[in-house]
Amino acid sequence: DATASTLDLPTTVTFDYNNETVTENVTWDTTTFVVNKIGKQKIYGTLSNDSYKVNELSIEIDVLPYTFSLNEETNEYTITKYYGSAREVIIPSVFNDMPIVVIGGSAFRKCSSLTSIVIPNSVTSIKYRAFQDCTSMTSILLPSSIISIEEVSFSGCSSLMDVYYNGTIEDW
């Protein structure tokens, strides 16, 4: 989960002041950060040296509706949890410039608002119970890159009517 303590915020800022480039330490006020609030959030900072007159020091963070796990050996990501409430979801193919290759076990489980999902070509594996009990899901697009779909990945998806495969019969 994204928490104030897990944010990777810069410890210094560099700026021009009176025609001089200055680098100063910064302290961020993370008390306004809302855990798992999806979308853009602004966090304000203060310089360690208060002699500089800065109108506003802030950083904008775009909180995604996912948590990820990085496989450091392969530099590939797994989506471990989805926190969103969107009806239609297009899973991103990359995070931090590295591919998302796995949809983890129970990652989207019981997402009752989800009606359709598009999985990118970077994904090769859908794990156990990944979409279990997504009762409103009516359609899914599977990429040709899929190598494995573990058991009960789509069990309980009682509204699922359309499964599209973006590959050939030979690929399947």
Side-chain angles (χ1 to χ4, degrees), residues 75-88:
N75 288 325
E76 298 171 331
Y77 278 103
T78 295
I79 292 178
T80 56
K81 185 69 179 159
Y82 175 72
Y83 292 99
S85 59
R87 294 174 42 81
E88 298 175 352

Side-chain angles (χ1 to χ4, degrees), residues 67-72 74-80 91-104 122-125:
T67 54
F68 299 93
S69 173
L70 175 63
N71 180 329
E72 293 183 15
T74 62
N75 288 325
E76 298 171 331
Y77 278 103
T78 295
I79 292 178
T80 56
I91 295 175
S93 60
V94 296
F95 178 68
N96 286 343
D97 297 322
M98 289 180 261
I100 298 169
V101 298
V102 177
I103 299 173
S122 61
V123 172
T124 59
S125 179

Side-chain angles (χ1 to χ4, degrees), residues 95-167:
F95 178 68
N96 286 343
D97 297 322
M98 289 180 261
I100 298 169
V101 298
V102 177
I103 299 173
S106 300
F108 287 82
R109 187 174 184 212
K110 295 186 179 184
C111 291
S112 58
S113 62
L114 185 62
T115 60
S116 68
I117 190 151
V118 175
I119 299 173
N121 279 327
S122 61
V123 172
T124 59
S125 179
I126 299 173
K127 297 295 185 184
Y128 184 74
R129 293 184 173 171
F131 295 97
Q132 185 180 34
D133 295 327
C134 293
T135 55
S136 299
M137 184 161 53
T138 60
S139 69
I140 186 165
L141 174 61
L142 298 171
S144 60
S145 59
I146 290 289
I147 295 170
S148 69
I149 300 174
E150 292 186 3
E151 60 185 297
V152 297
S153 292
F154 297 97
S155 70
C157 296
S158 54
S159 301
L160 186 58
M161 301 297 284
D162 299 311
V163 177
Y164 301 99
Y165 175 62
N166 203 12

